[in-house]
Amino acid sequence: MNDWPEGWSGDNRGDRYGRGSASAQPESARVMRQVRRGQAPPYSAGVPPQQGYVNGQGHGGDYDGYDSGYNTGQVYGSPGGGGYDGPGDTGGGRGPRPAPNWRKRIKWTAIVVITGLVVTTVGTYFWADSKLNREVDLSKVIDRPEQGDGTNYLIVGSDSRAGLSSEQKKQLHTGSAEGKRTDSMMILHTGSNGDTLISLPRDSDVEIPTFVGSESGKTYKGTGRHVKLNAAYAEDGPELLVRTVEFNTGLRIDHYVEIGFAGFASIVDAVGGVEIDIDKGFKDKYSGADFKAGKQTLNGDQALAFVRTRHAFAASDLQRTKNQQKFLAALAHQVATPGTVLNPFKLYPTLGAGLDSLIVDKDMGLYDLGSMFFAMKGVNGGDGTSLNMPISGSTGGNLVWDKAKVKQLVQELNNDEKVTVTGN
């Protein structure tokens, strides 16, 4: 009895290989016909011959010929397969690896680098801007002069000892006086005809005008009282100092910048010291100065002693203001060098030390601050002018300004003209 269903006898299987086939070819993959669940295959009617799986396309159409049963994805070396094609084949039959697209790589590398720089720059800007101490409100200053051309900064170095320990006060020779006074005052004018740095001696004879108290809000009428310029700062702070400078000069102050002892020394140390050429050596027991003539690099302590010394000079405060101009210009030059700006290990400590210790007006921005430093650098490089406020004499220990020269100087600044006035 033949156990094979009708149409499945060994005699009618022909040459198609399969189970028990004597053919040397491997058995083709069979595809099961879909059969409904619970329904027996129609053996009685006979099973139609299975169609071959041709060229990876599944069943379809009449097929006449030999069915190898192998598609192009098998491992026997067909053109699209992954087989081994010979000794020269190192890519699994995929051919040689394409050459890298260097133009595309360079493009994306540049995009990544530029994006990183932009993100870093923007982040640095907002970080630095957040550290500015905008404590001075120039809107409290009354009866202000008309706005001229260019920009005028009032730069103040105070003798504030805030943040200094007893050991630091001793080391820096600052003393322990309470409160704070101004050790130096300068007007920096920036414009299209060169920058001008003008020192205002602390002993300048000035009149205290009518002003509004920065804390009380009360109006204090002017009585014609004359004092030294630094007394205006000691009496009611930055707002009265600005009011007094504007009243006695007729020059409108656009921005206010102040730095104390500790901050000044910290900035100098952060940039690795400042090189300066001292014309003549001097000593001063009050400031701790002890310098020989010639080029030398000053650290923070030495720099503070250099800009504070006045007892060692016959011209006293006038010589001190010249030294202050010279050093601050050299400091600005050092801060703006590529060695500081492009070195994050110097730039961030310098910015941190400087911005933490600066006190500015409420309208001061980083752009204004940057313009100020670059202008001071220009003055040091010979692109601008530096002078003391012209002096005509003294009275009672106060230095009297030369009114005619001051008027001409202010007129040139207001018109943003090249300064022709000379000072002491």
Side-chain angles (χ1 to χ4, degrees):
M1 179 180 178
N2 189 346
D3 294 332
W4 290 94
E6 185 179 351
W8 281 63
S9 67
D11 295 333
N12 61 13
R13 280 180 291 167
D15 293 334
R16 299 188 62 138
Y17 51 86
R19 181 183 297 179
S21 172
S23 172
Q25 305 237 13
E27 182 179 9
S28 168
R30 299 182 185 273
V31 178
M32 295 293 295
R33 299 182 63 200
Q34 184 173 2
V35 179
R36 285 188 178 181
R37 182 173 298 177
Q39 180 177 346
Y43 289 152
S44 59
V47 179
Q50 298 293 312
Q51 295 181 355
Y53 191 76
V54 182
N55 294 328
Q57 302 300 318
H59 298 284
D62 295 331
Y63 176 69
D64 183 17
Y66 177 73
D67 179 9
S68 66
Y70 289 88
N71 62 28
T72 56
Q74 291 191 342
V75 298
Y76 288 93
S78 62
Y84 176 75
D85 287 338
D89 180 18
T90 58
R94 290 185 294 271
R97 180 178 298 175
N101 189 337
W102 289 109
R103 179 177 296 181
K104 186 175 182 180
R105 291 188 181 185
I106 292 172
K107 172 186 174 182
W108 281 106
T109 300
I111 291 174
V112 171
V113 171
I114 292 173
T115 302
L117 288 175
V118 170
V119 171
T120 301
T121 301
V122 172
T124 299
Y125 177 88
F126 284 104
W127 167 77
D129 187 73
S130 68
K131 294 179 75 67
L132 281 176
N133 300 310
R134 297 182 174 93
E135 298 178 7
V136 179
D137 189 355
L138 296 184
S139 67
K140 295 179 180 179
V141 180
I142 62 173
D143 301 331
R144 309 194 69 185
E146 292 294 326
Q147 179 73 53
D149 295 329
T151 304
N152 300 311
Y153 300 84
L154 180 59
I155 304 171
V156 173
S158 76
D159 65 356
S160 171
R161 291 138 176 98
L164 293 177
S165 64
S166 298
E167 184 62 30
Q168 288 174 317
K169 291 177 183 178
K170 182 178 179 180
Q171 178 182 346
L172 297 175
H173 298 269
T174 64
S176 299
E178 295 297 327
K180 60 180 182 178
R181 287 153 292 279
T182 54
D183 257 22
S184 62
M185 290 161 284
M186 302 178 189
I187 294 174
L188 174 67
H189 173 85
T190 63
S192 57
N193 285 295
D195 304 316
T196 305
L197 187 61
I198 308 160
S199 285
L200 309 176
R202 57 179 283 178
D203 295 336
S204 297
D205 185 82
V206 294
E207 179 183 340
I208 297 294
T210 299
F211 69 97
V212 175
S214 58
E215 297 295 334
S216 65
K218 296 180 179 179
T219 298
Y220 298 89
K221 292 292 184 180
T223 60
R225 176 168 54 104
H226 279 246
V227 298
K228 292 181 179 181
L229 182 58
N230 67 337
Y233 179 91
E235 185 172 332
D236 200 50
E239 287 85 359
L240 179 55
L241 177 61
V242 171
R243 168 73 175 129
T244 302
V245 169
E246 291 186 341
F247 177 82
N248 286 270
T249 63
L251 186 69
R252 185 184 180 96
I253 300 300
D254 299 297
H255 292 294
Y256 177 91
V257 181
E258 177 186 326
I259 187 169
F261 282 164
F264 181 80
S266 296
I267 293 174
V268 174
D269 286 335
V271 297
V274 174
E275 184 180 75
I276 194 167
D277 191 357
I278 299 177
D279 300 326
K280 185 179 180 180
F282 59 89
K283 291 184 179 182
D284 181 17
K285 66 179 182 179
Y286 296 99
S287 66
D290 185 3
F291 300 107
K292 293 181 171 57
K295 286 187 177 181
Q296 49 206 286
T297 299
L298 307 186
N299 62 26
D301 297 354
Q302 294 168 328
L304 190 57
F306 180 80
V307 299
R308 294 183 60 228
T309 298
R310 64 188 178 108
H311 296 286
F313 311 121
S316 188
D317 201 40
L318 291 178
Q319 181 59 45
R320 175 166 71 169
T321 56
K322 291 180 180 179
N323 286 345
Q324 289 170 347
Q325 285 182 351
K326 184 175 183 178
F327 187 84
L328 288 178
L331 174 60
H333 178 79
Q334 178 67 28
V335 169
T337 58
T340 299
V341 175
L342 300 179
N343 183 352
F345 297 103
K346 274 192 176 182
L347 177 62
Y348 286 98
T350 301
L351 285 175
L355 297 173
D356 279 340
S357 57
L358 288 179
I359 295 175
V360 300
D361 65 271
K362 293 185 180 298
D363 295 325
M364 187 79 159
L366 284 180
Y367 177 82
D368 302 305
L369 192 61
S371 297
M372 184 193 79
F373 274 103
F374 277 103
M376 293 185 70
K377 177 187 176 184
V379 171
N380 181 61
D383 295 333
T385 304
S386 61
L387 68 153
N388 278 327
M389 186 65 81
I391 304 295
S392 61
S394 63
T395 176
N398 294 358
L399 298 174
V400 179
W401 293 350
D402 187 319
K403 292 184 179 180
K405 284 189 174 182
V406 170
K407 183 178 180 180
Q408 181 184 348
L409 173 63
V410 171
Q411 182 178 349
E412 291 174 342
L413 295 177
N414 276 330
N415 294 330
D416 197 22
E417 300 171 349
K418 187 171 180 60
V419 170
T420 61
V421 176
T422 57
N424 298 77

